Amino acid sequence: MTLPFLDEESKGRQVYRYPGEYASSVWPGLTINAQERHVKASVPSVATAISSAVYGGGMVELDRIFNIYVDKHYRCDDPPHDIQCLLREWKEREDACTGLLTAVRLEHTSIQEYANSDFGLLCCTTAGVSNAARAGSPRMVFDAMGNRTDAVQQLDGAYIPGTINMMLWLNGRLTNGAMVNAIQTAVEAKAAALADAGVRDSENGLTATGTTTDAIVLAVSQDQHNPILTYAGTATVLGSVIGRLVYDTITESLQAGRQWSGRNNK
């Protein structure tokens, strides 16, 4: 497991190391760069992607993914606009990319890789659980405008940071169905990692399956030299690798955050 942008100083103090760069060993040209406000993953040519990102989500082609830090007091009714403004500030193209928001300290970014003869996979995760939630259990919910459904209280913005953001970069070939299957497997692994870490829904105390604002991006090179894979469930090699890398990166990022909080009485 790797926390490439974390430096441990004397007395156990955690320091964010930026600018910094991580070069993938499984996808030639894939680099992950740490900057003061964000971590950017980029590839030389566009990849096919499926994403729940608040900026640039859906079925898209992209060559960059941004994981952007915001503090825990961030509230906004238009996060895509905020991300667009930041991209302009950083002189980045606004197309062919996705943007994620996180309140997790960027030094707690965890990266793992795996490769075999059929594919290579890189998983990059930041995990924060201040708004942990359990899918399928009763809890406070909000409509599309950010209003509580009982109309008693209005939220300043529907998007609250404190989230689990996952980037999966797959150097290989997948059918569209396998891409959806890969997302399914990643989410199952996320739920397992949170259960084993003892993370609870902040409202009802039940075992959490995620947070209220989790996001995931799967980008696939669709390299014609690789065999096309049609399944990514837990009984496949690909699904098993996705599950292990997601589980391990969430666990590592969470542990780093808990250590920081313990040292800083947060």
Side-chain angles (χ1 to χ4, degrees), residues 24 26-27 29-32 39-49 61-66 96-98 100 111-114 119-125 166-172 174 216-221 238 241-242 245:
S24 172
V26 303
W27 186 325
L30 168 57
T31 59
I32 302 177
V39 168
K40 179 179 81 171
S42 58
V43 288
S45 56
V46 294
T48 302
E61 290 192 334
L62 57 79
D63 58 17
R64 290 153 299 139
I65 303 173
F66 296 87
C97 67
T98 63
L100 313 172
I111 300 174
Q112 276 204 37
E113 296 187 276
Y114 171 91
F119 66 88
L121 181 68
L122 180 147
C123 181
C124 177
T125 301
M166 296 183 287
M167 305 180 196
L168 292 168
W169 291 89
L170 187 123
N171 188 18
L174 296 183
I216 185 170
V217 187
L218 168 66
V220 184
S221 68
L238 174 59
V241 172
I242 290 171
L245 268 57

Side-chain angles (χ1 to χ4, degrees), residues 168-186:
L168 292 168
W169 291 89
L170 187 123
N171 188 18
R173 295 176 68 195
L174 296 183
T175 64
N176 288 344
M179 290 179 68
V180 176
N181 202 182
I183 296 292
Q184 174 187 342
T185 299

Side-chain angles (χ1 to χ4, degrees), residues 9-23:
E9 288 193 345
S10 60
K11 300 181 181 178
R13 181 167 173 259
Q14 294 183 353
V15 178
Y16 179 40
R17 179 166 57 84
Y18 73 91
E21 182 175 284
Y22 180 97

Side-chain angles (χ1 to χ4, degrees), residues 75-94:
R75 297 288 189 277
C76 183
D77 292 325
D78 194 1
H81 175 72
D82 290 347
I83 294 172
Q84 185 179 49
C85 290
L86 287 170
L87 293 175
R88 291 173 181 171
E89 178 184 330
W90 299 330
K91 296 181 172 52
E92 293 278 356
R93 297 190 338 270
E94 298 168 33

Side-chain angles (χ1 to χ4, degrees), residues 180-208:
V180 176
N181 202 182
I183 296 292
Q184 174 187 342
T185 299
V187 172
E188 291 175 6
K190 175 186 68 175
L194 296 185
D196 289 350
V199 177
R200 301 285 176 174
D201 186 308
S202 55
E203 289 191 13
N204 54 42
L206 298 174
T207 300

Side-chain angles (χ1 to χ4, degrees), residues 98-162:
T98 63
L100 313 172
L101 297 175
T102 182
V104 176
R105 297 173 65 87
L106 295 177
E107 61 265 38
H108 300 158
T109 300
S110 176
I111 300 174
Q112 276 204 37
E113 296 187 276
Y114 171 91
N116 63 20
S117 59
D118 293 336
F119 66 88
L121 181 68
L122 180 147
C123 181
C124 177
T125 301
T126 51
V129 291
S130 59
N131 56 336
R134 179 183 179 89
S137 63
R139 68 178 342 272
M140 181 168 52
V141 295
F142 301 88
D143 64 20
M145 300 302 295
N147 302 311
R148 273 182 52 170
T149 54
D150 59 12
V152 172
Q153 178 181 341
Q154 185 167 353
L155 192 67
D156 291 335
Y159 300 94
I160 305 174

